């Protein structure tokens, strides 16, 4: 469950009231999160009392995360490290501030075929469509590469239109950010950050929505002064992320190596009988 503190449409506009500025909203989120942690007040009550949106997600997994709100990979990882009752945040998204609490968790399980057959069918169709999309992109890529190398006046947008390909412009983004129409796509972002002025065109990249060919439009360098201020925090967060990733991989390898068999479900079934 979570409470949203939304930014106004133009939070940096000088005419925006001080109480609606980003700084004021962030400070309010800090106060509310402190109250929720110390007093353990029901989220819904706090949201209603403060006239704020309150929402619940239902169950989701890292394999099928909740992407509608633009949550970062880092936030999703934090959520899965918590236990029921733990408060997460406040954390910032592109839309504002979030304060979350884990309502309930349940162990992973192997579902019966009848429970997932529609998903299986959908996944198979999507995979077949992806293979066709990749084939189409692979056929068009050399044409685009050659035309750009020839140095004529045609832009990437012109070539995409000529090849009857859908052109999407992303906003400026940093690693781990949610992207409209792409979601949290590590491979996509890794390829995007490998592009430069000497190599602006990528190879074919898989995304959740299909195949993509990336073209570098612009690049915003790091604010060195701001980086110097925050680099210790960045280093600590990066180390924590690496530890979490290494631990998860270690546990996964242990499970595979141990060839564990689920007897808990059978025990429950026997007790019911």
């Amino acid at each position: 469950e979570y409470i949203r503190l939304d930014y106004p449409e133009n939070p940096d506009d000088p005419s925006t009231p001080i109480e609606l500025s980003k700084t004021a909203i962030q400070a309010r989120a800090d106060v509310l999160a402190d109250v929720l942690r110390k007093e353990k007040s029901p989220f819904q009550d706090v949201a209603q009392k403060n006239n704020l949106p309150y929402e619940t997600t239902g169950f989701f997994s890292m394999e099928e995360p909740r992407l509608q709100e633009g949550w970062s990979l880092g936030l999703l990882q934090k959520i899965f490290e918590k236990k029921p009752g733990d408060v997460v945040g406040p954390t910032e998204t592109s839309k504002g501030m979030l304060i979350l609490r884990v309502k309930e968790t349940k162990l992973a399980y192997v579902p019966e075929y009848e429970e997932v057959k529609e998903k299986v069918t959908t996944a198979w169709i999507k995979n077949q469509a992806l293979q066709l999309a990749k084939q189409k992109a692979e056929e068009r890529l050399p044409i685009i590469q050659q035309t750009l190398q020839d140095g004529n006046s045609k832009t990437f947008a012109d070539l995409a239109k000529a090849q009857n390909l859908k052109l999407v412009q992303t906003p400026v983004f940093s690693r781990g950010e949610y992207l409209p129409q792409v979601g949290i796509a590590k491979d996509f972002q890794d390829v995007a950050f490998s592009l430069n002025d000497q190599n602006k065109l990528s190879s074919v990249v898989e995304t959740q929505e299909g195949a993509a060919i990336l073209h570098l439009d612009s690049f915003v360098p790091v604010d060195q002064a701001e980086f110097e201020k925050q680099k210790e925090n960045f280093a600590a967060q990066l180390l924590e992320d690496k530890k979490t990733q290494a631990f998860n991989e270690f546990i996964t390898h242990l499970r595979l190596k141990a060839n564990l068999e689920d007897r808990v479900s059978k025990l429950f079934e026997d007790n019911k009988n």
Side-chain angles (χ1 to χ4, degrees):
E1 59 184 346
Y2 61 98
I3 295 173
R4 292 200 334 261
L5 291 86
D6 296 331
Y7 290 147
E9 287 189 11
N10 299 301
D12 299 320
D13 190 321
S15 63
T16 300
I18 187 67
E19 65 271 14
L20 295 179
S21 67
K22 279 190 176 182
T23 303
I25 291 173
Q26 289 165 357
R28 187 183 180 197
D30 287 335
V31 172
L32 287 176
D34 194 46
V35 168
L36 288 162
R37 282 193 174 91
K38 290 180 178 178
E39 300 182 6
K40 299 190 181 299
S41 304
F43 259 47
Q44 194 164 9
D45 292 352
V46 173
Q48 289 175 348
K49 184 178 178 181
N50 290 274
N51 196 30
L52 293 170
Y54 165 84
E55 295 183 44
T56 58
T57 65
F59 287 110
F60 61 92
S61 65
M62 282 298 290
E63 289 74 24
E64 295 181 348
R66 181 180 173 84
L67 302 177
Q68 295 92 322
E69 291 294 330
W71 295 354
S72 69
L73 180 59
L75 174 57
L76 289 168
Q77 288 174 332
K78 283 181 183 177
I79 291 171
F80 278 93
E81 292 167 8
K82 302 298 181 180
K83 60 183 183 296
D86 285 350
V87 175
V88 181
T91 186
E92 187 175 23
T93 72
S94 59
K95 298 177 182 179
M97 302 298 294
L98 286 180
I99 310 170
L100 309 94
R101 179 156 56 195
V102 179
K103 285 190 68 176
E104 185 183 355
T105 62
K106 66 178 180 180
L107 295 174
Y109 68 100
V110 179
E112 296 294 333
Y113 175 71
E114 287 299 318
E115 186 179 343
V116 296
K117 65 179 181 180
E118 289 187 12
K119 285 187 176 181
V120 170
T121 302
T122 301
W124 183 84
I125 292 172
K126 188 173 183 178
N127 182 64
Q128 295 301 304
L130 174 60
Q131 298 311 312
L132 290 173
K134 283 178 63 178
Q135 181 181 342
K136 178 181 177 182
E138 295 284 3
E139 291 171 355
R140 307 295 173 84
L141 179 60
I143 301 172
I144 296 173
Q145 287 173 327
Q146 188 59 53
T147 308
L148 289 176
Q149 288 172 4
D150 289 344
N152 58 44
S153 59
K154 289 188 176 181
T155 65
F156 180 73
D158 294 332
L159 297 174
K161 186 177 180 180
Q163 294 293 320
N164 197 29
L165 299 174
K166 181 181 179 182
L167 184 70
V168 177
Q169 175 77 53
T170 71
V172 175
F173 63 92
S174 56
R175 289 184 185 270
E177 266 191 73
Y178 174 88
L179 293 176
Q181 301 188 49
V182 178
I184 300 172
K186 184 179 183 300
D187 292 344
F188 181 97
Q189 295 195 12
D190 285 346
V191 170
F193 277 90
S194 72
L195 301 177
N196 52 47
D197 287 335
Q198 288 71 46
N199 179 33
K200 289 191 171 187
L201 194 68
S202 78
S203 56
V204 177
V205 183
E206 288 187 26
T207 74
Q208 292 182 351
E209 299 302 320
I213 300 170
L214 282 62
H215 183 265
L216 178 64
D217 179 63
S218 63
F219 181 81
V220 180
V222 171
D223 184 329
Q224 198 61 38
E226 185 63 24
F227 173 73
E228 289 299 324
K229 293 179 187 177
Q230 300 289 336
K231 66 179 181 181
E232 290 186 7
N233 292 336
F234 290 151
Q237 183 61 53
L238 182 61
L239 180 60
E240 193 61 35
D241 291 345
K242 290 291 184 183
K243 284 180 179 178
T244 301
Q245 182 180 353
F247 178 75
N248 289 340
E249 289 176 356
F250 172 70
I251 293 297
T252 300
H253 286 308
L254 277 184
R255 286 172 176 165
L256 292 172
K257 189 175 180 181
N259 194 26
L260 297 177
E261 182 180 347
D262 179 12
R263 295 184 178 273
V264 176
S265 300
K266 185 177 186 305
L267 180 63
F268 279 127
E269 288 299 322
D270 291 344
N271 288 337
K272 286 179 184 177
N273 297 333

